[in-house]
Amino acid sequence: MGALKAILLYFILYQTWKIAADEEEWKSATATYVKETSGSIIVEGACGYGDLHRATYGKYSAGLSSMLFNRGSTCGVCFEGSPSVILTATDFCSPNYGLSSEYGGWCNFPKEHFEMSEAAFAEIAEKKADIVPVQHRRVKCDRRGGLRFTVSGNFHFYQVLISNVGLDGEVIAVKVKGSRTAWIPMARNWGQNWQSNINLVGQPLSFEVTTSSRRTLTSYNVAPANWQFGQIFEGKQF
């Protein structure tokens, strides 16, 4: 009976946590948009994803003000906006302290602001609108396929871009392991690029990724021994 009670208590606590996580409170913010032809939000961005269509994030994306961007930690997080649209955080909206935060300096600290892609903004307002008030909350990310690891660097500097992260989308810790090494903690370089100064060339690579909900996922031997810089590998999904 003791074991049964423990299992029942765990189930109740898990469901309580799940409901709380799914029902994050709505917060107030503002939103503008950037045209795809002139903005960096679709093809560049401060998170390092590059072409968002290739990164599987598509056209519903946004740059975040400093208050929301959190020095790149929020890259990959999903937000629900009201009127309803689901966004992925893929860029940084730079402050402009030469302008008032009420007009032009929308991304000035401590404002919460979304600089949306044109397609996303069109879901909530007419494009002729200058700036609109929105309600937002973080939601779980629904991703197809596994986590993606894009390898870059050289023999003395190893970097991996992590994308297509499900669940809460926010990566807070990464470890890498070669066939001849122990687990090596990596440091955030910028956005969702993580780095190590260990030479891992010629070794199969495994990755351990931890999200802000403290869930850890290990993908073993994602990259074969003959991996090359510039290649993309797919692991497990949360």
Side-chain angles (χ1 to χ4, degrees), residues 24 57 60 74-81 85-89 114 137-143 165-170:
E24 182 172 314
Y57 294 141
Y60 293 105
T74 315
C75 288
V77 167
C78 294
F79 291 90
E80 180 181 7
V85 63
I86 303 297
L87 302 165
T88 298
F114 293 86
R137 63 179 177 179
R138 285 180 59 162
V139 294
K140 292 181 179 178
C141 298
D142 183 17
R143 304 296 187 206
V165 181
L167 199 63
D168 52 332
E170 181 178 2

Side-chain angles (χ1 to χ4, degrees), residues 180-218:
R180 299 190 296 272
T181 72
W183 284 102
I184 303 167
M186 303 187 76
R188 187 190 302 277
N189 187 320
W190 61 282
Q192 282 300 352
N193 284 286
W194 297 76
Q195 70 175 58
S196 170
N197 294 325
I198 305 298
N199 186 355
L200 297 168
V201 173
Q203 303 179 54
L205 302 179
S206 303
F207 294 96
E208 182 183 281
V209 177
T210 302
T211 65
S212 57
S213 59
R214 305 297 173 181
R215 288 190 58 179
T216 297
L217 180 68
T218 304

Side-chain angles (χ1 to χ4, degrees), residues 171-188:
V171 176
I172 63 169
V174 178
K175 293 180 181 179
V176 62
K177 183 182 185 306
S179 57
R180 299 190 296 272
T181 72
W183 284 102
I184 303 167
M186 303 187 76
R188 187 190 302 277

